[in-house]
């Protein structure tokens, strides 16, 4: 006899709405400040060099602490860690909203990233463990995928509305009432964590090594376009990251209670799904970044008009994600991943052909609509594949791996494509081309490279699990052996 549908109940619907609200908060804060940057610079007297840390500071700690957040959720309890992260996120939003100088705002953004890193892995693991039945889980992941795919575009839109309306400070303060609702909802809708803390043998060394490696990697990638890829500082940062990661893997192999049990990578297709997410987000994040720059700096759009331009993309992602949740039981996650990547790549390729005197309807809208369909399929497919066959006591860690891949992919993409765009623009300026033409040429080259990354992600997706969201996924995962403690 089939278990009754939790999602069909009012409590189930409210729970899914709550969990997606947490995800929306975390995802949207990576992009909501972008259109507010000119106002922030003017109001707080930022230098051009320091201004980049308003968006980058969030990504730095978000990606750096993600694995720690996921493991703490598994060890200490998911609701407890999500609540802690939400409080940190809310307090840092208040601090940022009332910031009086650059240091205070950057510090607030760093703290926001820590809060988000505690919130997101636990939230996704709550979703994958509460919605166990095939249809319920597919629908829940479909909604989650739609939120993940559309949040970046929604962030640009909301950022424009707030900046042109009550002012840039509200891109931070708007989080506070949402966080209050989230805290109340978690206490009312999500069951409390019954087990006691298990930190007696917590992997402190592994935590220091992996968090330090992720922080150094993201910092190096963020600074590389300005410092130079061939400079000692960049090479040293990448080398230091590699050394710490090797030391981390050695520590995890020998440890009795590792932060990242390496046995999790024996779950079929999990590693491929994470790598595909990293490569895909590298291209997707760059698409939003360079299209926004093109609309504002070349076409002369206002922040509000730039944000509004993404409305069709948000709608397309939502529709495609809903369709993907219905397709998962029929075709599985792998065809959605591969097909979605190729469709997205085709849309971004169309966008790479932008002219200096571009028209929204002719030159932007077709590519945005095509890309939106692919994005909805990709995020649902990858989220499903990355959580297939994962046992409940590893759900937070699996969620952390997927979301760390997403954040690091965004940082890698912006670093690589900034070098691509800047190099092309400088070449055109050296050839005495007008500034708008040179900028457009750089943006176009970056978007073309983004489309290539999406095709590459489709190839990686061939190795991802082809999950149909079956209810028997979890028992299979339970058979995955633990890491053998060292003698």
């Amino acid at each position: 006899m089939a278990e009754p549908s939790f999602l069909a109940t009012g409590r189930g619907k409210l729970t899914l709405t709550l969990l997606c609200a947490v995800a929306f908060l975390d995802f949207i804060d990576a992009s909501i400040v972008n259109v507010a940057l000119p106002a922030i610079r003017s109001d707080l007297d930022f230098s051009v060099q320091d201004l980049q840390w308003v968006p980058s500071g969030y990504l730095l700690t978000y990606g750096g602490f993600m694995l720690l957040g996921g493991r703490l959720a598994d060890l200490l309890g998911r609701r407890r860690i999500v609540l802690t992260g939400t409080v940190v996120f809310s307090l840092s939003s208040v601090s940022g909203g009332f910031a009086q100088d650059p240091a205070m705002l950057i510090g607030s953004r760093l703290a926001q990233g820590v809060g988000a890193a505690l919130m997101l892995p636990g939230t996704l693991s709550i979703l994958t463990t509460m919605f166990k039945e095939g249809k319920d889980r597919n629908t829940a992941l479909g909604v989650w995928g739609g939120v993940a795919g559309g949040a970046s575009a929604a962030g640009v839109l909301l950022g424009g509305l707030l900046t042109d309306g009550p002012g840039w400070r509200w891109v931070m303060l708007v989080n506070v009432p949402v966080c209050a609702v989230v805290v109340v909802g978690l206490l009312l809708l999500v069951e409390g964590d019954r087990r006691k803390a298990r930190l007696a043998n917590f992997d402190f060394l592994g935590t220091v090594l992996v968090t330090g490696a992720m922080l150094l990697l993201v910092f190096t990638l963020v600074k590389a376009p300005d410092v130079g890829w061939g400079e000692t500082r960049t090479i040293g940062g990448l080398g230091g990251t590699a050394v710490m990661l090797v030391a981390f893997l050695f520590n995890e192999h020998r440890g009795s209670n590792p932060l990242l049990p390496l046995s999790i990578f024996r779950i079929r297709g999990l590693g491929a799904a994470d790598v595909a997410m990293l490569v895909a987000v590298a291209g997707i994040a760059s698409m939003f970044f360079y299209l926004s720059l093109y609309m504002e700096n070349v076409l002369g759009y206002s922040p509000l008009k730039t944000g509004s331009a993404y409305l069709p993309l948000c709608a397309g992602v939502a529709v495609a994600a809903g369709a993907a949740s219905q397709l998962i039981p029929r075709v599985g996650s792998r065809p959605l991943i591969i097909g979605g990547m190729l469709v997205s790549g085709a849309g971004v390729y169309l966008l790479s052909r932008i002219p200096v005197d571009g028209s929204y309807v002719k030159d932007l809208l077709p590519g945005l609509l095509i890309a939106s369909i692919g994005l909805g399929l990709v995020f649902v497919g990858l989220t499903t594949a990355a959580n297939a066959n994962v046992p409940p006591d590893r759900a937070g860690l699996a969620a952390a791996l997927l979301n760390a891949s997403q954040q690091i992919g965004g940082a890698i993409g912006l670093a690589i494509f900034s070098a691509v765009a800047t190099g092309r623009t400088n070449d055109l300026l050296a050839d005495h081309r007008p500034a708008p033409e040179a900028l457009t040429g750089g943006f176009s080259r970056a978007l073309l490279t983004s489309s290539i990354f999406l095709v590459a992600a489709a190839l990686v997706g061939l190795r991802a699990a082809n999950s149909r969201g079956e209810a028997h996924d979890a028992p299979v995962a339970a058979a995955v052996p633990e890491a053998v403690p060292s003698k």
Side-chain angles (χ1 to χ4, degrees), residues 65-88:
F65 286 91
M66 186 72 70
L67 275 180
L68 177 60
R71 190 58 174 148
L72 287 176
D74 287 335
L75 292 175
L76 299 180
R78 299 179 183 102
R79 191 180 76 163
R80 183 178 294 120
I81 295 301
V82 176
L83 282 170
T84 302
T86 304
V87 172
V88 171

Side-chain angles (χ1 to χ4, degrees), residues 218-245:
V218 177
F219 178 82
T220 302
L221 291 172
V222 167
K223 298 294 291 184
D226 295 328
V227 175
W229 285 95
E231 296 299 317
T232 302
R233 180 173 167 180
T234 302
I235 296 172
L238 294 175
T241 299
V243 169
M244 281 193 285
L245 286 176

Side-chain angles (χ1 to χ4, degrees), residues 75-449:
L75 292 175
L76 299 180
R78 299 179 183 102
R79 191 180 76 163
R80 183 178 294 120
I81 295 301
V82 176
L83 282 170
T84 302
T86 304
V87 172
V88 171
F89 192 90
S90 180
L91 293 176
S92 56
S93 295
V94 173
S95 173
F98 289 102
Q100 298 301 310
D101 54 56
M104 186 174 178
L105 182 57
I106 292 172
S108 299
R109 289 290 284 172
L110 291 168
Q112 263 191 324
V114 175
L118 295 176
M119 293 164 72
L120 195 62
T123 302
L124 181 55
S125 63
I126 289 172
L127 184 149
T128 56
T129 52
M130 289 189 72
F131 297 95
K132 296 179 181 179
E133 297 82 12
K135 184 177 180 180
D136 275 13
R137 191 177 182 193
N138 293 339
T139 302
L141 289 175
V143 176
W144 179 280
V147 169
S152 294
V156 177
L157 172 60
L158 185 58
L161 287 170
L162 293 172
T163 303
D164 281 352
W168 71 263
R169 294 183 183 276
W170 281 94
V171 303
M172 302 287 286
L173 295 175
V174 72
N175 296 323
V176 179
V178 182
C179 286
V181 173
V182 166
V183 168
V184 174
L186 285 169
L187 293 174
L188 293 177
L189 296 174
V190 178
E191 187 176 346
D193 306 300
R194 295 177 180 174
R195 60 180 178 274
K196 297 180 180 180
R198 295 181 292 161
L199 290 179
N201 298 311
F202 185 69
D203 183 11
F204 179 76
L205 177 59
T207 300
V208 172
L209 287 171
V210 75
T211 303
M214 293 298 99
L215 289 171
L216 181 58
L217 175 61
V218 177
F219 178 82
T220 302
L221 291 172
V222 167
K223 298 294 291 184
D226 295 328
V227 175
W229 285 95
E231 296 299 317
T232 302
R233 180 173 167 180
T234 302
I235 296 172
L238 294 175
T241 299
V243 169
M244 281 193 285
L245 286 176
V246 170
F248 169 71
L249 292 175
F250 181 76
N251 179 75
E252 300 308 280
H253 178 68
R254 294 181 56 83
S256 59
N257 188 28
L259 178 72
L260 175 61
L262 300 182
S263 60
I264 196 171
F265 292 109
R266 298 176 192 170
I267 297 175
R268 179 172 49 86
L270 182 143
D274 291 338
V275 173
M277 177 66 85
L278 186 150
V279 178
V281 171
I284 293 165
S286 300
M287 177 192 75
F288 287 117
F289 184 74
Y290 289 107
L291 282 182
S292 298
L293 288 178
Y294 169 72
M295 285 187 272
E296 292 192 38
N297 295 334
V298 177
L299 300 184
Y301 286 13
S302 67
L304 179 57
K305 188 174 181 180
T306 298
S308 301
Y310 290 108
L311 279 174
L313 183 140
C314 294
V317 168
V319 171
S325 68
Q326 302 301 313
L327 288 171
I328 287 282
R330 301 177 184 179
V331 302
S333 55
R334 192 184 300 143
L336 298 185
I337 294 170
I338 297 169
M341 295 289 189
L342 295 176
V343 171
S344 297
V348 177
Y349 174 75
L350 281 180
L351 293 168
S352 74
R353 300 168 65 86
I354 47 175
V356 177
D357 56 347
S359 158
Y360 177 74
V361 173
K362 178 183 176 183
D363 300 302
L364 293 178
L365 185 58
L368 287 172
L369 289 175
I370 294 172
S372 71
I373 296 170
L375 292 182
L377 301 178
V378 165
F379 278 99
V380 174
L382 282 177
T383 305
T384 302
N387 288 281
N389 299 324
V390 176
D393 66 339
R394 292 289 183 266
L397 182 57
L401 286 170
L402 181 67
N403 288 290
S405 300
Q406 191 170 338
Q407 300 310 316
I408 293 170
I412 289 174
L414 291 177
I416 293 175
F417 301 137
S418 290
V420 171
T422 302
R424 178 60 177 165
T425 295
N426 289 340
D427 288 344
L428 291 172
L429 288 173
D431 198 32
H432 306 293
R433 302 288 183 88
E437 182 181 344
L439 284 173
T440 302
F443 300 154
S444 176
R445 183 66 59 86
L447 289 167
L448 176 62
T449 311

